[in-house]
Short mmCIF file of all heavy atoms in Angstrom, two decimals:
data_model
loop_
_atom_site.label_atom_id
_atom_site.label_comp_id
_atom_site.label_asym_id
_atom_site.label_seq_id
_atom_site.Cartn_x
_atom_site.Cartn_y
_atom_site.Cartn_z
N MET Z 1 34.02 0.42 3.77
CA MET Z 1 32.74 -0.09 4.18
C MET Z 1 32.55 -1.46 3.63
O MET Z 1 33.16 -1.89 2.64
CB MET Z 1 31.67 0.79 3.64
CG MET Z 1 31.45 0.75 2.15
SD MET Z 1 30.05 1.81 1.52
CE MET Z 1 30.12 1.45 -0.25
N LYS Z 2 31.69 -2.26 4.31
CA LYS Z 2 31.32 -3.56 3.85
C LYS Z 2 30.21 -3.44 2.85
O LYS Z 2 29.27 -2.60 3.04
CB LYS Z 2 30.95 -4.50 5.01
CG LYS Z 2 30.66 -5.91 4.52
CD LYS Z 2 30.27 -6.82 5.75
CE LYS Z 2 31.52 -7.04 6.65
NZ LYS Z 2 31.13 -7.90 7.75
N ALA Z 3 30.22 -4.15 1.77
CA ALA Z 3 29.23 -3.98 0.74
C ALA Z 3 29.07 -5.32 -0.02
O ALA Z 3 29.90 -6.23 -0.02
CB ALA Z 3 29.61 -2.94 -0.27
N VAL Z 4 27.92 -5.41 -0.71
CA VAL Z 4 27.69 -6.52 -1.62
C VAL Z 4 27.61 -5.93 -3.02
O VAL Z 4 27.07 -4.88 -3.28
CB VAL Z 4 26.29 -7.22 -1.30
CG1 VAL Z 4 25.89 -8.20 -2.42
CG2 VAL Z 4 26.41 -7.88 0.07
N TRP Z 5 28.19 -6.60 -3.99
CA TRP Z 5 28.19 -6.09 -5.38
C TRP Z 5 28.25 -7.24 -6.32
O TRP Z 5 28.51 -8.34 -6.01
CB TRP Z 5 29.38 -5.13 -5.59
CG TRP Z 5 30.73 -5.74 -5.55
CD1 TRP Z 5 31.33 -6.42 -6.62
CD2 TRP Z 5 31.68 -5.74 -4.47
NE1 TRP Z 5 32.60 -6.86 -6.21
CE2 TRP Z 5 32.74 -6.49 -4.93
CE3 TRP Z 5 31.61 -5.31 -3.22
CZ2 TRP Z 5 33.90 -6.63 -4.12
CZ3 TRP Z 5 32.71 -5.47 -2.36
CH2 TRP Z 5 33.82 -6.17 -2.79
N TYR Z 6 27.96 -6.92 -7.65
CA TYR Z 6 28.20 -7.81 -8.66
C TYR Z 6 28.77 -7.05 -9.85
O TYR Z 6 28.56 -5.82 -10.04
CB TYR Z 6 26.98 -8.57 -9.13
CG TYR Z 6 25.70 -7.74 -9.45
CD1 TYR Z 6 25.48 -7.32 -10.82
CD2 TYR Z 6 24.78 -7.42 -8.52
CE1 TYR Z 6 24.34 -6.58 -11.16
CE2 TYR Z 6 23.66 -6.71 -8.88
CZ TYR Z 6 23.40 -6.32 -10.20
OH TYR Z 6 22.31 -5.56 -10.48
N MET Z 20 34.83 -1.94 0.40
CA MET Z 20 34.96 -0.81 -0.62
C MET Z 20 35.27 0.44 0.23
O MET Z 20 35.01 0.59 1.37
CB MET Z 20 33.68 -0.70 -1.36
CG MET Z 20 33.43 -1.76 -2.36
SD MET Z 20 31.84 -1.52 -3.29
CE MET Z 20 32.17 0.05 -4.14
N PRO Z 23 32.21 6.13 0.76
CA PRO Z 23 31.94 7.17 -0.21
C PRO Z 23 31.71 8.47 0.45
O PRO Z 23 31.42 8.59 1.66
CB PRO Z 23 30.60 6.72 -0.85
CG PRO Z 23 29.89 5.98 0.24
CD PRO Z 23 31.03 5.32 1.09
N ARG Z 31 24.91 11.24 2.47
CA ARG Z 31 25.39 9.97 2.77
C ARG Z 31 24.58 9.35 3.91
O ARG Z 31 24.31 10.01 4.89
CB ARG Z 31 26.88 9.90 3.15
CG ARG Z 31 27.46 8.53 3.23
CD ARG Z 31 28.91 8.45 3.50
NE ARG Z 31 29.23 8.60 4.93
CZ ARG Z 31 30.47 8.52 5.44
NH1 ARG Z 31 31.44 8.28 4.65
NH2 ARG Z 31 30.61 8.71 6.74
N VAL Z 32 24.04 8.15 3.63
CA VAL Z 32 23.19 7.49 4.56
C VAL Z 32 23.85 6.22 5.16
O VAL Z 32 24.43 5.38 4.35
CB VAL Z 32 21.87 7.10 3.95
CG1 VAL Z 32 20.97 6.35 4.89
CG2 VAL Z 32 21.08 8.34 3.44
N LYS Z 33 23.96 6.16 6.43
CA LYS Z 33 24.43 4.96 7.07
C LYS Z 33 23.26 4.05 7.03
O LYS Z 33 22.20 4.23 7.78
CB LYS Z 33 24.79 5.26 8.56
CG LYS Z 33 25.39 4.04 9.30
CD LYS Z 33 25.71 4.41 10.74
CE LYS Z 33 26.32 3.19 11.42
NZ LYS Z 33 25.44 2.05 11.59
N VAL Z 34 23.37 2.95 6.26
CA VAL Z 34 22.27 2.05 5.99
C VAL Z 34 22.04 1.16 7.22
O VAL Z 34 23.01 0.48 7.71
CB VAL Z 34 22.46 1.26 4.74
CG1 VAL Z 34 21.33 0.33 4.48
CG2 VAL Z 34 22.64 2.17 3.52
N SER Z 36 18.76 -0.83 7.22
CA SER Z 36 17.98 -1.99 6.63
C SER Z 36 17.91 -1.71 5.07
O SER Z 36 17.72 -0.62 4.62
CB SER Z 36 16.53 -2.05 7.17
OG SER Z 36 16.58 -2.31 8.54
N SER Z 37 18.11 -2.82 4.31
CA SER Z 37 18.03 -2.76 2.83
C SER Z 37 16.89 -3.71 2.46
O SER Z 37 16.82 -4.91 2.74
CB SER Z 37 19.33 -3.20 2.22
OG SER Z 37 19.30 -3.23 0.88
N GLY Z 38 15.94 -3.14 1.70
CA GLY Z 38 14.79 -3.96 1.19
C GLY Z 38 15.10 -4.59 -0.21
O GLY Z 38 15.70 -3.94 -0.99
N ASP Z 43 14.97 -6.10 -8.13
CA ASP Z 43 16.48 -6.19 -7.84
C ASP Z 43 17.04 -7.40 -8.33
O ASP Z 43 18.12 -7.41 -9.02
CB ASP Z 43 16.63 -6.11 -6.29
CG ASP Z 43 16.24 -4.73 -5.70
OD1 ASP Z 43 16.66 -3.73 -6.30
OD2 ASP Z 43 15.58 -4.77 -4.71
N ARG Z 46 17.06 -7.26 -12.30
CA ARG Z 46 18.11 -6.39 -12.78
C ARG Z 46 19.49 -7.13 -12.66
O ARG Z 46 20.28 -7.03 -13.65
CB ARG Z 46 18.18 -5.11 -11.98
CG ARG Z 46 16.99 -4.14 -12.23
CD ARG Z 46 17.00 -2.94 -11.35
NE ARG Z 46 18.05 -2.01 -11.66
CZ ARG Z 46 17.83 -1.01 -12.58
NH1 ARG Z 46 16.64 -0.91 -13.15
NH2 ARG Z 46 18.75 -0.19 -12.84
N TYR Z 56 27.04 -0.53 -15.31
CA TYR Z 56 28.23 0.03 -14.57
C TYR Z 56 29.17 -1.13 -14.39
O TYR Z 56 28.79 -2.23 -14.33
CB TYR Z 56 27.86 0.67 -13.26
CG TYR Z 56 26.80 1.77 -13.41
CD1 TYR Z 56 25.43 1.41 -13.22
CD2 TYR Z 56 27.13 3.06 -13.75
CE1 TYR Z 56 24.43 2.37 -13.31
CE2 TYR Z 56 26.09 3.96 -13.86
CZ TYR Z 56 24.81 3.65 -13.67
OH TYR Z 56 23.77 4.61 -13.74
N ARG Z 58 30.64 -2.00 -11.78
CA ARG Z 58 30.30 -2.69 -10.48
C ARG Z 58 28.93 -2.13 -9.93
O ARG Z 58 28.77 -0.88 -9.99
CB ARG Z 58 31.33 -2.43 -9.42
CG ARG Z 58 31.07 -2.95 -8.05
CD ARG Z 58 32.16 -2.80 -7.05
NE ARG Z 58 33.26 -3.77 -7.40
CZ ARG Z 58 34.39 -3.90 -6.64
NH1 ARG Z 58 34.61 -3.08 -5.54
NH2 ARG Z 58 35.23 -4.79 -6.93
N VAL Z 59 28.03 -2.92 -9.51
CA VAL Z 59 26.70 -2.56 -9.04
C VAL Z 59 26.55 -3.04 -7.65
O VAL Z 59 26.72 -4.30 -7.36
CB VAL Z 59 25.65 -3.09 -10.01
CG1 VAL Z 59 24.30 -2.85 -9.32
CG2 VAL Z 59 25.73 -2.41 -11.29
N ILE Z 60 26.15 -2.14 -6.77
CA ILE Z 60 25.62 -2.56 -5.41
C ILE Z 60 24.19 -2.51 -5.54
O ILE Z 60 23.56 -1.50 -5.81
CB ILE Z 60 26.14 -1.55 -4.34
CG1 ILE Z 60 27.64 -1.55 -4.19
CG2 ILE Z 60 25.38 -1.87 -2.99
CD1 ILE Z 60 28.18 -0.58 -3.19
N PRO Z 61 23.49 -3.65 -5.29
CA PRO Z 61 22.03 -3.71 -5.60
C PRO Z 61 21.17 -3.08 -4.52
O PRO Z 61 21.67 -2.69 -3.48
CB PRO Z 61 21.73 -5.24 -5.68
CG PRO Z 61 22.75 -5.86 -4.70
CD PRO Z 61 24.02 -4.98 -4.92
N HIS Z 62 19.91 -3.06 -4.82
CA HIS Z 62 18.76 -2.73 -4.00
C HIS Z 62 18.35 -1.21 -4.07
O HIS Z 62 19.16 -0.37 -3.81
CB HIS Z 62 18.92 -3.12 -2.52
CG HIS Z 62 19.27 -4.65 -2.31
ND1 HIS Z 62 19.67 -5.12 -1.17
CD2 HIS Z 62 19.29 -5.65 -3.23
CE1 HIS Z 62 19.83 -6.38 -1.23
NE2 HIS Z 62 19.64 -6.78 -2.55
N GLN Z 63 17.06 -1.10 -4.42
CA GLN Z 63 16.58 0.24 -4.53
C GLN Z 63 16.04 0.85 -3.20
O GLN Z 63 16.19 2.08 -2.98
CB GLN Z 63 15.29 0.18 -5.49
CG GLN Z 63 15.63 -0.34 -6.82
CD GLN Z 63 16.47 0.57 -7.69
OE1 GLN Z 63 16.66 1.68 -7.43
NE2 GLN Z 63 17.00 0.02 -8.82
N ASP Z 64 15.56 0.01 -2.33
CA ASP Z 64 14.89 0.45 -1.12
C ASP Z 64 15.78 0.28 0.07
O ASP Z 64 16.64 -0.60 0.11
CB ASP Z 64 13.57 -0.28 -0.85
CG ASP Z 64 12.58 0.03 -1.98
OD1 ASP Z 64 12.79 1.03 -2.72
OD2 ASP Z 64 11.56 -0.71 -2.00
N GLY Z 65 15.59 1.17 1.06
CA GLY Z 65 16.39 1.01 2.31
C GLY Z 65 16.03 2.10 3.35
O GLY Z 65 15.13 2.89 3.04
N SER Z 66 16.67 2.12 4.40
CA SER Z 66 16.50 3.13 5.42
C SER Z 66 17.78 3.23 6.26
O SER Z 66 18.58 2.27 6.28
CB SER Z 66 15.37 2.72 6.40
OG SER Z 66 15.60 1.54 7.04
N LEU Z 87 14.57 5.38 1.82
CA LEU Z 87 15.13 5.70 0.57
C LEU Z 87 14.35 5.08 -0.64
O LEU Z 87 13.68 4.08 -0.44
CB LEU Z 87 16.60 5.22 0.46
CG LEU Z 87 17.54 5.67 1.61
CD1 LEU Z 87 18.79 4.89 1.59
CD2 LEU Z 87 17.76 7.20 1.47
N PHE Z 88 14.31 5.73 -1.73
CA PHE Z 88 13.73 5.09 -2.93
C PHE Z 88 14.61 5.33 -4.18
O PHE Z 88 15.35 6.31 -4.23
CB PHE Z 88 12.30 5.58 -3.16
CG PHE Z 88 12.19 7.06 -3.68
CD1 PHE Z 88 12.04 7.34 -5.00
CD2 PHE Z 88 12.14 8.13 -2.81
CE1 PHE Z 88 11.98 8.66 -5.45
CE2 PHE Z 88 12.02 9.35 -3.19
CZ PHE Z 88 11.97 9.70 -4.53
N GLU Z 89 14.52 4.42 -5.18
CA GLU Z 89 15.26 4.47 -6.30
C GLU Z 89 16.74 4.65 -6.12
O GLU Z 89 17.49 5.42 -6.81
CB GLU Z 89 14.77 5.63 -7.23
CG GLU Z 89 13.43 5.39 -7.87
CD GLU Z 89 12.92 6.42 -8.92
OE1 GLU Z 89 13.70 7.44 -8.99
OE2 GLU Z 89 11.91 6.14 -9.57
N SER Z 90 17.24 4.02 -5.14
CA SER Z 90 18.63 4.11 -4.77
C SER Z 90 19.64 3.58 -5.77
O SER Z 90 20.80 4.07 -5.86
CB SER Z 90 18.90 3.39 -3.42
OG SER Z 90 18.12 3.92 -2.38
N GLN Z 91 19.21 2.69 -6.66
CA GLN Z 91 20.14 2.13 -7.69
C GLN Z 91 19.59 2.25 -9.03
O GLN Z 91 19.92 1.57 -9.96
CB GLN Z 91 20.46 0.65 -7.30
CG GLN Z 91 21.78 0.13 -7.95
CD GLN Z 91 21.45 -0.58 -9.31
OE1 GLN Z 91 20.66 -1.56 -9.41
NE2 GLN Z 91 22.07 -0.02 -10.34
N PHE Z 92 18.64 3.27 -9.18
CA PHE Z 92 18.15 3.60 -10.55
C PHE Z 92 18.88 4.79 -11.07
O PHE Z 92 18.88 5.84 -10.54
CB PHE Z 92 16.66 3.90 -10.38
CG PHE Z 92 16.00 4.19 -11.74
CD1 PHE Z 92 15.91 3.17 -12.73
CD2 PHE Z 92 15.54 5.43 -12.05
CE1 PHE Z 92 15.36 3.48 -14.00
CE2 PHE Z 92 14.98 5.68 -13.22
CZ PHE Z 92 14.86 4.71 -14.25
N GLY Z 93 19.62 4.51 -12.17
CA GLY Z 93 20.45 5.52 -12.77
C GLY Z 93 21.74 5.88 -11.97
O GLY Z 93 22.36 6.79 -12.26
N ARG Z 94 21.97 4.98 -11.10
CA ARG Z 94 23.18 5.06 -10.19
C ARG Z 94 23.80 3.71 -10.05
O ARG Z 94 23.02 2.70 -9.98
CB ARG Z 94 22.87 5.69 -8.84
CG ARG Z 94 22.11 7.03 -8.94
CD ARG Z 94 21.68 7.42 -7.60
NE ARG Z 94 22.71 7.77 -6.64
CZ ARG Z 94 23.26 8.99 -6.56
NH1 ARG Z 94 22.93 9.93 -7.42
NH2 ARG Z 94 24.27 9.19 -5.79
N PRO Z 95 25.07 3.59 -9.75
CA PRO Z 95 25.66 2.27 -9.65
C PRO Z 95 25.48 1.60 -8.24
O PRO Z 95 25.46 0.33 -8.16
CB PRO Z 95 27.10 2.46 -9.91
CG PRO Z 95 27.40 3.86 -9.55
CD PRO Z 95 26.10 4.64 -9.82
N PHE Z 96 25.32 2.40 -7.22
CA PHE Z 96 25.36 1.86 -5.88
C PHE Z 96 24.11 2.05 -5.06
O PHE Z 96 23.72 3.18 -4.86
CB PHE Z 96 26.53 2.51 -5.12
CG PHE Z 96 27.87 2.24 -5.67
CD1 PHE Z 96 28.94 3.08 -5.56
CD2 PHE Z 96 28.07 1.12 -6.54
CE1 PHE Z 96 30.19 2.87 -6.14
CE2 PHE Z 96 29.31 0.82 -7.09
CZ PHE Z 96 30.39 1.75 -6.93
N GLY Z 97 23.41 0.91 -4.76
CA GLY Z 97 22.20 0.96 -3.97
C GLY Z 97 22.53 0.79 -2.45
O GLY Z 97 23.45 1.31 -1.92
N THR Z 98 21.59 0.10 -1.79
CA THR Z 98 21.57 0.10 -0.32
C THR Z 98 22.15 -1.11 0.32
O THR Z 98 22.21 -1.29 1.51
CB THR Z 98 20.09 0.26 0.17
OG1 THR Z 98 19.30 -0.90 -0.21
CG2 THR Z 98 19.45 1.53 -0.33
N ALA Z 99 22.64 -2.09 -0.55
CA ALA Z 99 23.23 -3.35 0.06
C ALA Z 99 24.75 -3.05 0.41
O ALA Z 99 25.66 -3.72 0.02
CB ALA Z 99 23.17 -4.48 -0.91
N ALA Z 100 24.89 -2.00 1.32
CA ALA Z 100 26.24 -1.58 1.72
C ALA Z 100 26.02 -0.78 3.00
O ALA Z 100 24.96 -0.30 3.30
CB ALA Z 100 26.92 -0.71 0.72
N GLU Z 101 27.13 -0.64 3.81
CA GLU Z 101 27.07 0.08 5.01
C GLU Z 101 26.75 1.60 4.82
O GLU Z 101 26.27 2.19 5.72
CB GLU Z 101 28.35 -0.08 5.83
CG GLU Z 101 28.51 -1.46 6.34
CD GLU Z 101 29.79 -1.70 7.10
OE1 GLU Z 101 30.89 -1.27 6.65
OE2 GLU Z 101 29.69 -2.24 8.26
N TYR Z 102 27.14 2.17 3.63
CA TYR Z 102 26.85 3.51 3.35
C TYR Z 102 26.33 3.60 1.86
O TYR Z 102 26.74 2.82 1.03
CB TYR Z 102 28.07 4.32 3.53
CG TYR Z 102 28.62 4.56 4.85
CD1 TYR Z 102 29.69 3.77 5.27
CD2 TYR Z 102 28.04 5.45 5.75
CE1 TYR Z 102 30.19 3.87 6.51
CE2 TYR Z 102 28.55 5.47 7.06
CZ TYR Z 102 29.67 4.68 7.46
OH TYR Z 102 30.08 4.72 8.71
N THR Z 103 25.45 4.52 1.63
CA THR Z 103 25.02 4.79 0.23
C THR Z 103 24.82 6.30 0.13
O THR Z 103 24.53 7.04 1.07
CB THR Z 103 23.62 4.14 -0.05
OG1 THR Z 103 23.35 4.25 -1.39
CG2 THR Z 103 22.47 4.64 0.72
N LEU Z 104 25.27 6.76 -1.12
CA LEU Z 104 25.10 8.17 -1.48
C LEU Z 104 23.83 8.29 -2.27
O LEU Z 104 23.59 7.51 -3.24
CB LEU Z 104 26.21 8.68 -2.25
CG LEU Z 104 27.68 8.67 -1.68
CD1 LEU Z 104 28.66 9.21 -2.65
CD2 LEU Z 104 27.72 9.43 -0.36
N GLN Z 105 23.00 9.32 -1.92
CA GLN Z 105 21.72 9.49 -2.70
C GLN Z 105 21.43 10.94 -2.82
O GLN Z 105 21.86 11.79 -2.02
CB GLN Z 105 20.57 8.81 -1.85
CG GLN Z 105 20.70 7.34 -1.73
CD GLN Z 105 20.69 6.63 -3.06
OE1 GLN Z 105 19.92 7.04 -3.92
NE2 GLN Z 105 21.51 5.64 -3.18
N PRO Z 106 20.69 11.31 -3.87
CA PRO Z 106 20.18 12.73 -4.00
C PRO Z 106 19.36 13.05 -2.68
O PRO Z 106 18.63 12.15 -2.17
CB PRO Z 106 19.31 12.64 -5.20
CG PRO Z 106 19.82 11.47 -6.03
CD PRO Z 106 20.19 10.47 -5.00
N LEU Z 301 23.86 -9.07 5.87
CA LEU Z 301 24.43 -8.55 4.66
C LEU Z 301 25.17 -9.69 3.99
O LEU Z 301 25.08 -9.82 2.71
CB LEU Z 301 25.32 -7.37 4.88
CG LEU Z 301 25.87 -6.65 3.68
CD1 LEU Z 301 24.77 -6.09 2.84
CD2 LEU Z 301 26.94 -5.58 4.08
N VAL Z 323 21.76 -4.48 7.61
CA VAL Z 323 23.16 -3.95 7.25
C VAL Z 323 23.86 -3.48 8.44
O VAL Z 323 24.96 -3.80 8.69
CB VAL Z 323 22.94 -2.90 6.17
CG1 VAL Z 323 24.34 -2.37 5.80
CG2 VAL Z 323 22.26 -3.44 4.95
#
Side-chain angles (χ1 to χ4, degrees):
M1 68 176 182
K2 185 178 290 185
V4 171
W5 68 81
Y6 56 90
M20 290 178 58
R31 188 175 82 173
V32 176
K33 181 181 184 296
V34 179
S36 297
S37 178
D43 294 315
R46 293 172 74 86
Y56 306 95
R58 173 177 287 184
V59 169
I60 294 174
H62 303 172
Q63 304 290 345
D64 295 346
S66 62
L87 306 170
F88 71 95
E89 289 188 351
S90 299
Q91 200 268 301
F92 181 65
R94 305 171 68 85
F96 299 153
T98 64
E101 290 181 311
Y102 296 99
T103 187
L104 299 181
Q105 296 300 321
L301 186 63
V323 180

